[in-house]
């Protein structure tokens, strides 16, 4: 042990930064040898040393921290670190107890507040308490962009704030939003949810995004949506040329998105809408080619089945279109009664990185959305609106459902369907 103390002292003397666990370990060794003064000094230094990059994870580090707290029970940082270790070992009650005691002693360290927020949501299932913990964490570290992102995700997942309130909160911290791609994408998503499509495209154009694990397709989805929405708006107002320009732009990702188009990306929505725009321009041949692409067989039933059916109907294949829509309707009903689970081959789960997701709720939302699409295609408008309203009530952040619901409420889809069917009759 004497040699161990000398070794630790040599390391600490050679380091300009130090490390809390080195000091805690030195205190533990000194106390075991009866060198109380050294143990006290080392323990004090441990608490004063920056916790940055300190992630104790080993059993021997747990022993050192537990010993530290037996001798110095008011060690706030040691409590925070030990809470992390306990939580990793699924000793949740003890972890939460450590973090609560830590913030009672010293509320200036944001991480135990943040960890309590996660535990309140995932373990104790108290969303409002989780929100209070994150408020304390952000107050302790208001320059931490990661905390702002997590807090916003909590509000989103738990429905603790409206879309407008979340957008206002991010606008109030644009300097922090600029630090992170995921925060920037969330802000752009909120702009799209509130119909600020041109502003969303402007925000995208002004940033160079980098790919990150769990974020695959997020940026491109927020790029495609405003072009699709603006194109549909132009189409409804009679400006088919501008509409077609937006639909074509949506197919071509600019370099600054940081990702290319996946080979399996479905664009049946753009195909159908482009066909409608081409027909308004009097180019029947081009319209037919777009609709043929929309109506081509799909690898699986899903949201794009609706646009597949619309493409088929525009080509005069009403029977085929109705079969697709009825298959979509039956699939949605079957899915609603299926127990949700994570796909074995899932590689990116952006919705499950931090706060536990409700798979059953997500399954119900998606089933209602698909039912709404099928009902819309079958001209059962009241039923479509009811399904979409229920889906949005359960998930106010379902961008596609929000957009389709607004389009149906305005009668735009019904007019498109009727126009294309009339053109082919």
């Amino acid at each position: 042990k004497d040699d161990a103390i000398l070794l630790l002292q040599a390391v600490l003397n050679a380091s300009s930064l130090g490390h809390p666990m080195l000091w805690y370990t030195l205190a533990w060794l000194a106390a075991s040898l009866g060198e109380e003064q050294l143990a006290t000094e080392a323990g004090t230094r441990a608490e004063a040393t920056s916790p940055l990059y300190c992630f104790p994870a080993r059993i021997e580090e747990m022993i050192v921290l537990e010993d530290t707290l037996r001798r110095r029970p008011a060690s706030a940082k040691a409590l925070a670190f030990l809470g992390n270790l306990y939580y990793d070992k699924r000793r949740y009650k003890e972890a939460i107890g450590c973090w609560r005691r830590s913030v009672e002693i010293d509320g200036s360290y944001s991480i135990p507040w943040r960890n309590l927020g996660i535990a309140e949501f995932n373990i104790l299932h108290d969303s409002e308490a989780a929100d209070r913990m994150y408020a304390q964490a952000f107050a302790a570290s208001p320059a931490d962009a990661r905390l702002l992102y997590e807090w916003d995700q909590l509000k989103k997942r738990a429905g603790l704030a409206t879309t407008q309130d979340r957008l206002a909160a991010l606008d109030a911290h644009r300097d922090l939003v600029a630090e992170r791609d995921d925060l920037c994408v969330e802000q752009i998503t909120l702009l799209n949810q509130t119909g600020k499509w041109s502003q969303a495209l402007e925000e995208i154009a002004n940033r160079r995004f980098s790919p990150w694990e769990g974020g695959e397709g997020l940026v491109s989805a927020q790029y495609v949506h405003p072009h699709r929405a603006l194109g549909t708006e132009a189409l409804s107002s009679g400006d088919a040329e501008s509409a077609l320009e937006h639909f074509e732009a949506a197919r071509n990702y600019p370099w600054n998105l940081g990702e290319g188009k996946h080979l399996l990306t479905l664009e049946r929505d753009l195909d159908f809408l482009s066909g409608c725009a081409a027909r308004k321009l009097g180019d029947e041949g081009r319209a037919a080619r777009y609709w043929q692409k929309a109506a081509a067989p799909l690898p699986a039933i899903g949201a794009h089945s609706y646009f597949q059916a619309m493409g088929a109907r525009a080509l005069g294949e009403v029977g085929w279109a109705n079969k697709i829509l009825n298959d979509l309707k039956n699939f949605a009903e079957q899915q609603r009664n299926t127990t949700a689970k994570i796909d074995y081959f899932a590689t990116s789960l952006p919705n499950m990185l931090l706060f536990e997701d409700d798979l059953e709720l997500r399954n119900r939302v998606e089933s209602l959305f698909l039912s709404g699409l099928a009902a819309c295609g079958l001209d059962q408008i009241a039923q479509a609106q009811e399904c979409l309203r229920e889906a949005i009530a359960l998930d106010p952040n379902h961008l596609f459902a929000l957009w389709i619901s607004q389009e149906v409420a305005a009668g735009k889809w019904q007019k498109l369907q009727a126009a294309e069917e009339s053109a082919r009759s």
Side-chain angles (χ1 to χ4, degrees), residues 98-109:
C98 284
W99 291 330
R100 285 177 175 170
R101 178 65 179 139
S102 176
V103 297
E104 286 174 3
I105 298 167
D106 180 9
S108 66
Y109 184 28

Side-chain angles (χ1 to χ4, degrees), residues 15 21 56 65 79 93 146 269 284 309 352 370 389 394:
S15 172
M21 285 311 302
L65 290 169
L79 282 162
K93 183 177 180 180
R146 170 76 187 188
D269 50 343
E284 295 291 343
M352 305 188 68
L370 296 179
R389 273 196 298 267
L394 292 172

Side-chain angles (χ1 to χ4, degrees), residues 80-99:
F81 296 143
L82 186 58
N84 296 349
L85 266 165
Y86 283 156
Y87 198 85
D88 176 64
K89 307 305 178 189
R90 300 188 180 184
R91 295 167 61 173
Y92 299 127
K93 183 177 180 180
E94 293 164 283
I96 293 169
C98 284
W99 291 330

Side-chain angles (χ1 to χ4, degrees), residues 227 240-250:
H227 275 301
E241 187 171 347
S242 292
L244 202 53
E245 288 175 359
H246 278 295
F247 300 145
E248 288 303 309

Side-chain angles (χ1 to χ4, degrees), residues 117 121 126-135 150-163 165-166 355 396-397:
F121 186 89
D126 189 337
S127 300
E128 292 184 355
D131 185 51
R132 292 195 298 272
M133 298 303 102
Y134 264 95
E150 292 182 0
W151 193 11
D152 176 69
Q153 290 299 295
L154 171 66
K155 293 175 182 177
K156 176 181 179 180
R157 180 63 53 80
L160 296 170
T162 65
T163 299
D165 287 343
R166 288 177 56 216
F355 300 108
N397 301 292

Side-chain angles (χ1 to χ4, degrees), residues 1-13 19-33 35-43 45-46 64 67-68 71:
K1 289 185 178 179
D2 288 331
D3 290 342
I5 287 177
L6 290 173
L7 180 60
L8 282 174
Q9 288 176 324
V11 171
L12 288 166
N13 289 335
H19 191 282
M21 285 311 302
L22 292 178
W23 287 112
Y24 286 128
T25 305
L26 178 59
W28 171 65
L29 287 167
S32 68
L33 291 175
E35 297 185 26
E36 294 301 329
Q37 183 177 350
L38 177 59
T40 299
E41 291 175 356
R45 291 292 297 273
V64 168
D67 177 76
T68 296
R71 289 182 293 101

